[in-house]
Structures are given as structure tokens and as C-alpha cells.
Amino acid sequence: MPDWTYHPLRGAAAAVVGTRRSQRTALRLLAAIGSRPAGARLIARGFGHRRPPERLAGEIAGVPVAVRLGISVPPSLARESVRAMAPIGAGVVEVSPVSAADVATVREAAAGRSIPLVVRTTDPETEAALAAHVDGFTGDDDPHVVRVTEPSVTATAAALDDPKAVVLARPRVLVEAGPGWFARVTEAATPTAPAPGLRDVGRDPRRWPAWVWALLVGLGMIGAGLGAAAITLGPVLLRYDRDYLGMTLHELHAANHHLVHFLQHDRITMAGTMVSIGALYTGLALGGIRRGRPWARQAYLISGAIGFPTLFYFLVTGFVEPLHTATTLVLFPMFVAGVRRAPHTPRWRRMPEGPEPERRRALVGQLLLIVTGTGLFVGGAVISVVGLTGVFVPSDLVFLGADTEALRAVNPRLVPFVAHDRAGFGGALMAAAVAITLLSAWGWGRGEAWVFWSLATAAVFGFLPAVVVHGAIHYTDFLHLAPVYVGILATATGLLLARPYLCARTVDS
């Protein structure tokens, strides 16, 4: 489990099943998932782990390790630790101290391991009994093995500056810091360079880096969303809309006094979501991809891979909107250019640690944002399905004062027209939700103010238009708007809790 579930929920878990039992349960859960290749990859992806820099590779007791960072555990925790530590970023597990009575336990732990396992023992017979089963042996007098008991990321990263040093954490370090400690140390120990600016880009588009294209997609989405809002608040229908329906705005209003308002409510909500996506992509481009963060490129890629294919919803609705199609055709090549290359040299800013209570509050905020993003994705999926099948929910028909058949009687193309707007909004909401969820899961770090402002801007443009337009047209069904209210409350609370951490600027003593 990542830190954003471990810390916010550990108190409740301890109260229910006890402190020690909850800790062992968490370790066993990680071990059960991490012992399977697919589970290990899932944990590594969920934690946002990537390959550690080459400078952190080395050896311990003559055993090569990919990262000179590991954990030293007693024999009673050896089996679970060997299976759980590699996916969360450890490079080696030491079992210490080991006596003759622990030989069978260590042998069982070593079977099928995917991480180097070393043993510390002072008994020659025990060493001989384990020599064929473990990777090596450590001693008390090795000056290059540093065993830490405090969860200071800064101090641990400083210790790794010695290319021969191997840092081994005691279990209490992970208990206090959380399973994300290895990833935070690895990031803090990664050498970085200054981030490039627009002046470094050059004028030849063929040589533009990926982050510039990603930025253009973000700005393009913002522009498209604002343009859609202007159309919705102005003429509502463009010429091709009127041609498809064979009706003017006045004729729609005459057929049903609420119909035009209903169309506006769908389209202004969609416009706000487009601006939200643009804000998130802009943040990912400038704050993440430009600084060489692999997870930022992946979040951008997954979100776009969900959003762009929703253009093909027209195969179900039957209505092809030219402006939507043109926007997609312009932005999609830029999107591809934004992900065509792997991230360059790490160029992020390293912020020293701050007060631990500040981080703990931010983790609660992180959990709230991830839950909100997940909820928005589910909502977007439901809206897409409804838009492609039944089109209307019961509260829609109550607002319109008509059933679906009555609307078809007004115009056979009216329901497919609404379906296009409804399904398109659902697809856009899923794309935004994925960006929110992954940005919150992988981007949380002290001093990462761009994460705060990207999420805050996306929230304002995502939630505010929805609330305002529903109030303006008097579509105020509480159950219909309840998910919006819950999302606003969770997002506002999460951002307020996380702001001191994400927006930190000074070094705390």
C-alpha cells in the first residue's frame, strides 16, 4: 500500500485489529501481491517507481545490487520482506541476526526470491548451512554498510553519495515513514540538472522537445473549451447543428421550453471539462515532462489515450460534429509528438524535508484527491454508457417534462444529437479523471506547487460551470448534483490540507 493509504488509514487499522497485527497484515498483503510478477509490476507502477539511476547501483558483500538501498530485518520478517521489498523500491534484504535456529526460516525466505538476500551471522556453522541458499554474508565491521534507524530522507540520500555505501533501514523506519520511503530516497539521491525554458527550445518545430508539444495540446484544449463555452452562451447551435436537426433555436424552444437550457447545461459542462483537461496537460507538460519525470509522460499518455478515441462515439450516436472532429485532428498529432520520446535527464528541483505532520496532512489530502479522481472516472464511464444507450437519466426527463419517445416525436434526430453531447462529456470526464488520479498519486511532493495549481485550476473549471449552469436553468435536483457537491468538498478539503506541503518554498528547521 502506498503512503497515501498507509498513513491516513493506519490509525483506524490499529484501533480495529491492533498495532502489531495491522503492521504485519500490511506487510503480508504487499508480500502476497509482490510475490507474483504481475503483482510486483502493479505495485511498482502504483508507487510510480521507475528504474533507479546508474549511480545508485553497487554491491554489498560482493553481491551486485541495482540500488544501494535496502532493509535489515529479523528472521521472523524475512519471508514477507523478501517478497514485498523489491516492488516498493528496495535493492537488497539483509536478515540479521541469524543463528542456527533460524536456518530453516531463512532458507524458506530465500526460495524463489527476486531480490538479493544477504545474511549477518557470527556463527560459522550457520554460515556454512546457508551458503548455498543466500547471496552473501555481511559483518559488523563493514564500513560501507550503513544501518539507519531514523526515516530522514535527506540524511539517507547524503549517505548514498558515497559510491561504496549501502544503506540498510531497520523495520521501524518503514513503520514510521511508510512504504514510499525507498522511492523518496531514490528520488532525493538522483542527480538533476536545471530545467530548460522556452528560450532553449529553438524555432525549428522538428527539434522541439516533447514537453513543448504536450504544452501546445494543453493550451489547445483550454482554447477549445473556452471557445465551446462562448458558443454555448451565445448562439448555442452552429450552422451544422441546425442543418443536422433541421430546426432553429426558436423552434426547439417552442417544442419544449426546457430543451435549449438542457442543451446548454450539457455543453457548458463539457466546455468546463475541456478547460480542466487543458490545465492538467499544461501542468504535466511544464511541471513534469519538461523536468524529465517519467510518470508525467505516462499520466499524459494514459489520459489522452482515453480521451481522443471518444471522437468515435459518433459511430453509435450517428452525429459527426465538424468542430469537435477538426479540434481532434489538429491536437492529436501534437499529442503523439508529446509522447514520442522518453523523458530526458532528470531536471526536477530537490526540496529538503519539512515537518512530518505537514506531510501526514498532505497524505490525507492526497488520498481525498485520488478518491475524487477515481469517482470522477466512474461517473464519466456511467455518463458515456448512458449517453450511448438510454441517453437520459430519470431526473433529466423530469426536468424536461417529457419522455424519450415524446422527444423523438419532436424530431427523430434530437435524441442522437443529445446523445453525442452526453457521451462526449462522459469521455472527456474520464480523460480528466485519469489525469487527476495519476497526477495526485505520482506527483505529490514537497514544493511541487505546480501540482497544487494544476489540480486547483482543473477543479474550478470542472466543478464551477456545472454548479452555475444547473442553478441558472433551475435544474437543481439534489440527487443529480450530489456527486458534484461531494467532489467539491473532497477536492477543496484535500487541496487545503496539502497546500503547505505542495507549495512549500523555504527550508524548515
Side-chain angles (χ1 to χ4, degrees):
M1 53 188 64
D3 287 357
W4 47 266
T5 57
Y6 175 78
H7 282 298
L9 303 180
R10 64 182 293 201
V16 173
V17 300
T19 300
R20 296 288 295 177
R21 184 175 296 177
S22 65
Q23 292 169 358
R24 289 300 295 264
T25 300
L27 180 60
R28 287 170 180 165
L29 178 62
L30 281 173
I33 300 173
S35 62
R36 295 167 174 80
R41 288 193 295 270
L42 177 64
I43 292 174
R45 292 291 184 181
F47 277 73
H49 292 169
R50 300 296 182 267
R51 185 173 300 174
E54 293 182 1
R55 72 179 293 270
L56 293 185
E59 64 176 42
I60 177 173
V63 181
V65 293
V67 56
R68 294 176 284 108
L69 183 65
I71 188 169
S72 179
V73 299
S76 61
L77 298 179
R79 185 178 185 277
E80 290 86 358
S81 298
V82 166
R83 286 154 179 76
M85 292 299 112
I88 64 174
V92 61
V93 172
E94 178 193 63
V95 184
S96 169
V98 176
S99 65
D102 303 314
V103 169
T105 301
V106 175
R107 285 179 176 177
E108 181 185 3
R113 65 190 178 278
S114 59
I115 186 174
L117 176 64
V118 297
V119 166
R120 182 160 66 110
T121 180
T122 57
D123 181 12
E125 292 185 4
T126 300
E127 183 172 330
L130 291 173
H133 301 275
V134 302
D135 296 295
F137 297 90
T138 56
D140 295 328
D141 57 349
D142 190 337
H144 300 303
V145 177
V146 181
R147 296 177 176 86
V148 298
T149 58
E150 298 298 329
S152 171
V153 171
T154 303
T156 306
L160 290 171
D161 286 339
D162 180 354
K164 295 183 179 180
V166 178
V167 178
L168 301 177
R170 297 293 189 184
R172 62 169 289 187
V173 171
L174 259 64
V175 170
E176 292 301 316
W181 183 78
F182 291 114
R184 290 190 287 127
V185 171
T186 299
E187 180 172 300
T190 299
T192 64
L198 288 174
R199 293 182 179 179
D200 304 317
V201 171
R203 297 183 178 182
D204 187 351
R206 294 173 298 178
R207 297 184 179 181
W208 285 355
W211 68 268
V212 174
W213 294 108
L215 173 62
L216 290 176
V217 173
L219 296 176
M221 288 295 296
I222 292 173
L226 294 176
I231 293 170
T232 303
L233 297 175
V236 183
L237 301 180
L238 294 177
R239 178 178 296 178
Y240 58 76
D241 295 322
R242 296 193 296 269
D243 291 343
Y244 175 79
L245 290 171
M247 298 178 70
T248 66
L249 198 65
H250 295 295
E251 288 172 333
L252 284 174
H253 186 71
N256 185 307
H257 292 321
H258 298 292
L259 194 53
V260 174
H261 286 160
F262 187 81
L263 293 175
Q264 285 182 308
H265 126 276
D266 263 357
R267 292 190 162 192
I268 199 67
T269 308
M270 171 68 166
T273 304
M274 291 172 66
V275 175
S276 294
I277 294 173
L280 293 165
Y281 286 4
T282 299
L284 286 169
L286 290 175
I289 300 174
R290 181 173 67 100
R291 292 174 176 164
R293 294 189 179 274
W295 62 260
R297 173 181 177 270
Q298 189 167 7
Y300 170 77
L301 172 61
I302 296 173
S303 174
I306 290 174
F308 280 105
T310 60
L311 170 69
F312 295 100
Y313 280 172
F314 77 84
L315 295 174
V316 178
T317 65
F319 175 52
V320 180
E321 186 182 21
L323 192 57
H324 182 186
T325 304
T327 301
T328 302
L329 292 177
V330 170
L331 294 182
F332 184 70
M334 299 181 187
F335 170 78
V336 173
V339 297
R340 74 187 189 280
R341 296 175 182 170
H344 46 67
T345 303
R347 297 178 182 275
W348 54 75
R349 180 182 58 177
R350 291 164 54 177
M351 176 71 73
E353 293 176 274
E356 184 62 13
E358 177 184 88
R359 186 177 80 92
R360 298 287 178 89
R361 287 192 295 271
L363 290 173
V364 176
Q366 185 179 16
L367 177 60
L368 288 173
L369 265 297
I370 292 172
V371 169
T372 299
T374 304
L376 289 173
F377 183 85
V378 173
V382 170
I383 292 170
S384 289
V385 171
V386 170
L388 296 173
T389 54
V391 183
F392 301 101
V393 297
S395 60
D396 293 336
L397 299 176
V398 170
F399 173 75
L400 291 169
D403 59 22
T404 306
E405 293 306 317
L407 294 172
R408 285 197 176 98
V410 171
N411 186 329
R413 289 187 167 184
L414 182 57
V415 173
F417 184 78
V418 175
H420 169 270
D421 288 351
R422 181 62 55 88
F425 166 58
L429 187 58
M430 286 193 293
V434 167
I436 291 168
T437 303
L438 297 182
L439 176 58
S440 300
W442 296 338
W444 230 245
R446 190 164 188 267
E448 301 291 340
W450 69 272
V451 173
F452 175 87
W453 291 113
S454 296
L455 291 170
T457 304
V460 169
F461 284 98
F463 288 125
L464 187 60
V467 173
V468 171
V469 73
H470 279 85
I473 68 174
H474 306 293
Y475 185 178
T476 55
D477 183 89
F478 180 78
L479 291 179
H480 180 75
L481 289 171
V484 178
Y485 298 145
V486 172
I488 291 173
L489 179 62
T491 302
T493 303
L495 290 175
L496 286 173
L497 287 172
R499 189 179 188 279
Y501 178 75
L502 292 176
C503 297
R505 294 189 178 187
T506 57
V507 178
D508 296 295
S509 58

